[in-house]
């Protein structure tokens, strides 16, 4: 029952800080835009928005938006795309469509909480398939094989990954798809950070394009920086699952916001440009973070990601929750302790998709300096270029 879902720790943490904290140094989405910036992408787009009809929209998502989304994939037709109000709605509906109490689910961990929580709440057995820092956060394929049971109905993966930033390599991604497909297990592939790979050649195929039992999850929020549109989708060749999800959607949102669908479609026609804008911000920010972590190597471990706008470094020598509390209260800089993801390794999520990241890191640096008489010894001050 949805009413018995446990509190979503990450969302509750953000609810405390997101709109009263100056520097969100742990956001997972990229720098956003104003409506006028999106409308400037095409002549007469403003007129189109002003004339856009505000009645109910088609429950599956408007045909032209689904057409635009299908272009992201190589084998997907518009009628294999189901548009939702954010990726979050799609996760909820997928789990309810695919699972029965007693089913077994394997979830790539640590994870965005709803990817495991909704299945648990449905009375499923959930096995965490854990990424290891020493392997660049990649979980072991042998452990996946060992975790599979006759009752395993769904494997959930997420790459590029929240919170670790892991971009799986192609070989292992293909292998996971084969393992699931050969055993008749549905693969739910959370690809909300796809198209944010630093090298386009590292981009993985979408699971739905290589596996007819897979469901790919996409969203406007992350790579394209348009979280406020609340437009997400699934793409799949699995017709029965698709049909079941459309039925369930009648009980959540019925259809999506009409202006959001208009703006999402416009944005997707220019998605490469929007992604590149954010990749440029990320590249500049990462160069700064590299210098920061190199200057403080005794206090942080740093696995540099190959995609996305987040990573999961480790703090050495002090409790991460205490560190984050002090940082936000004294410097107005928010980091996300890994305990929010049930991580016990003293990691924290850092986000580098926002334009004001350099100022936030500068304040973090000041914070470290102010603690230099305390438990953390501090290296030379950060040079901000
Ligand atoms: C891995 C992952 N999946 C799904 C979502 C949900 O996306 P949205 O908030 O746009 O619905 C998030 C958001 O942080 C996420 O990180």
């Amino acid at each position: 029952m949805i009413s018995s879902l446990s509190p979503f720790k990450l969302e509750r943490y953000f609810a405390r800080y997101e709109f009263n904290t100056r520097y969100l140094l742990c956001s997972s989405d990229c720098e956003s835009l104003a409506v006028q910036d999106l409308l400037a992408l095409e002549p007469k787009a403003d007129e189109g928005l002003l004339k856009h009809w505000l009645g109910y929209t088609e429950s599956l998502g408007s045909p032209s938006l689904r057409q635009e989304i299908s272009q992201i994939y190589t084998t997907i037709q518009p009628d294999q795309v189901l548009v939702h109000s954010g990726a979050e709605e799609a996760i909820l509906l997928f789990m309810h469509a695919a699972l029965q109490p007693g089913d077994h689910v394997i979830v790539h961990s640590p994870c965005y909480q709803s990817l495991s929580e909704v299945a648990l709440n449905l009375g499923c057995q959930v096995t965490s398939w854990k990424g290891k820092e020493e392997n660049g956060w990649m979980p072991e394929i042998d452990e996946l094989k060992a975790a599979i049971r006759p009752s395993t109905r769904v494997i959930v993966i997420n790459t590029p990954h929240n919170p670790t930033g892991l971009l799986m390599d192609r070989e292992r991604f293909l292998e996971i798809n084969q393992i699931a497909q050969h055993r008749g297990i549905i693969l739910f592939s959370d690809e909300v950070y796809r198209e944010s790979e630093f090298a386009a050649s590292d981009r993985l195929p979408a699971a739905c394009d290589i596996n007819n039992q897979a469901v790919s999850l996409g969203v406007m929020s992350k790579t394209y920086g348009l979280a406020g549109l609340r437009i997400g989708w699934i793409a799949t060749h699995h017709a029965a699952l698709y049909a079941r999800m459309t039925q369930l959607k009648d009980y959540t949102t019925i259809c999506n916001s009409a202006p959001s669908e208009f703006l999402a479609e416009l944005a997707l026609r220019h998605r490469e440009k929007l992604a590149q804008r954010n990749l440029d911000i990320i590249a500049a920010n990462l160069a700064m973070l590299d210098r920061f972590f190199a200057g403080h190597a005794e206090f942080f471990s740093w696995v540099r990601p190959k995609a996305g706008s987040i990573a999961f470094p480790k703090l050495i020598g002090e409790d991460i929750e205490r560190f984050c509390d002090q940082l936000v209260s004294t410097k107005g800089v928010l980091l996300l302790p890994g305990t929010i993801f049930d991580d016990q390794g003293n990691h924290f999520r850092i986000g580098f998709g926002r334009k004001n990241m350099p100022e936030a890191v500068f304040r973090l640096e000041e914070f470290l300096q102010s603690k230099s008489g305390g438990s953390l010894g501090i290296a030379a001050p950060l040079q901000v270029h």
Side-chain angles (χ1 to χ4, degrees):
M1 250 205 318
I2 188 166
S3 61
S4 57
L5 278 167
S6 302
F8 201 128
K9 291 184 210 157
L10 180 143
E11 298 302 340
R12 291 300 93 214
Y13 190 79
F14 269 101
R16 262 171 73 198
Y17 295 112
E18 187 169 6
F19 295 101
N20 56 21
T21 303
R22 180 123 187 236
Y23 299 102
L24 301 178
L25 188 52
C26 56
S27 302
S28 65
D29 49 343
C30 290
E31 183 79 17
S32 200
L33 299 162
V35 174
Q36 63 184 4
D37 303 323
L38 266 192
L39 293 176
L41 289 170
E42 276 179 20
K44 302 213 172 140
D46 47 355
E47 268 177 49
L49 181 64
L50 289 175
K51 290 186 179 147
H52 199 67
W53 193 250
L54 292 180
Y56 281 108
T57 61
E58 282 193 41
S59 183
L60 307 178
S62 81
S64 53
L65 174 58
R66 284 185 286 133
Q67 168 67 36
E68 205 54 53
I69 292 170
S70 70
Q71 304 296 311
I72 297 172
Y73 306 98
T74 56
T75 65
I76 291 290
Q77 300 302 314
D79 61 0
Q80 294 168 319
V81 172
L82 181 59
V83 184
H84 293 82
S85 295
E88 186 72 320
E89 185 191 23
I91 294 171
L92 185 80
L93 297 194
F94 165 81
M95 297 293 172
H96 282 78
L99 295 169
Q100 302 282 339
D103 284 343
H104 178 236
V105 183
I106 299 173
V107 184
H108 175 188
S109 311
C111 70
Y112 186 66
Q113 192 173 336
S114 50
L115 294 173
S116 61
E117 196 71 45
V118 179
L120 274 173
N121 181 259
L122 280 164
C124 298
Q125 316 270 316
V126 174
T127 301
S128 294
W129 180 40
K130 288 205 175 101
K132 301 202 175 88
E133 189 177 12
E134 60 273 25
N135 295 344
W137 290 110
M138 179 67 207
E140 306 271 5
I141 297 284
D142 285 347
E143 290 180 14
L144 173 66
K145 289 184 185 158
I148 292 174
R149 305 177 191 168
S151 59
T152 305
R153 174 98 174 117
V154 171
I155 297 172
V156 178
I157 57 170
N158 168 217
T159 185
H161 183 244
N162 178 10
T164 65
L166 165 77
L167 174 63
M168 286 185 189
D169 65 61
R170 182 172 296 257
E171 202 182 317
R172 279 185 274 195
F173 183 73
L174 297 182
E175 201 178 347
I176 295 165
N177 273 277
Q178 276 164 5
I179 291 169
Q181 211 171 3
H182 287 160
R183 290 166 173 79
I185 298 171
I186 298 163
L187 186 76
F188 187 74
S189 181
D190 181 329
E191 298 167 3
V192 298
Y193 300 94
R194 194 158 173 267
E195 300 201 333
S196 66
E197 302 76 13
F198 307 155
S201 53
D202 284 343
R203 183 166 310 147
L204 296 170
C208 61
D209 281 329
I210 55 167
N211 173 355
N212 60 11
Q213 295 294 301
V215 174
S216 289
L217 178 70
V219 83
M220 298 306 297
S221 311
K222 310 294 179 184
T223 306
Y224 316 114
L226 297 168
L229 292 181
R230 308 308 302 133
I231 293 286
W233 59 86
I234 56 105
T236 185
H237 289 279
H238 197 311
L241 251 180
Y242 182 99
R244 183 69 188 132
M245 287 179 73
T246 63
Q247 288 167 2
L248 294 176
K249 196 172 167 219
D250 294 339
Y251 285 96
T252 50
T253 56
I254 300 178
C255 66
N256 312 302
S257 146
S260 287
E261 286 207 341
F262 177 93
L263 292 170
E265 189 184 325
L266 168 65
L268 286 175
R269 284 199 289 275
H270 303 273
R271 69 179 211 277
E272 283 171 20
K273 191 172 174 182
L274 293 175
Q276 192 55 52
R277 163 188 176 267
N278 285 327
L279 282 169
D280 291 345
I281 295 171
I282 287 170
N285 284 346
L286 265 182
M288 183 183 190
L289 281 185
D290 285 338
R291 288 194 297 276
F292 173 81
F293 285 119
H296 298 298
E298 323 86 288
F299 307 110
F300 298 104
S301 70
W302 170 232
V303 178
R304 193 186 208 270
K306 294 185 180 149
S309 51
I310 43 179
F312 207 45
K314 179 179 188 144
L315 173 70
I316 300 160
E318 187 173 334
D319 175 68
I320 189 59
E321 286 190 355
R322 197 168 140 245
F323 183 87
C324 293
D325 276 355
Q326 285 181 351
L327 177 65
V328 73
S329 60
T330 60
K331 293 288 176 185
V333 174
L334 191 69
L335 287 174
L336 189 64
T339 46
I340 295 285
F341 293 91
D342 294 332
D343 168 77
Q344 300 306 322
N346 223 41
H347 298 94
F348 60 96
R349 188 174 83 181
I350 190 162
F352 37 85
R354 299 285 178 91
K355 275 189 182 157
N356 72 354
M357 192 216 77
E359 285 164 66
V361 173
F362 193 67
R363 287 177 156 245
L364 170 60
E365 177 71 28
E366 282 177 350
F367 177 69
L368 293 174
Q369 294 294 335
S370 71
K371 288 170 80 71
S372 56
S375 58
L376 282 174
I378 295 301
L382 178 73
Q383 300 296 311
V384 181
H385 298 278

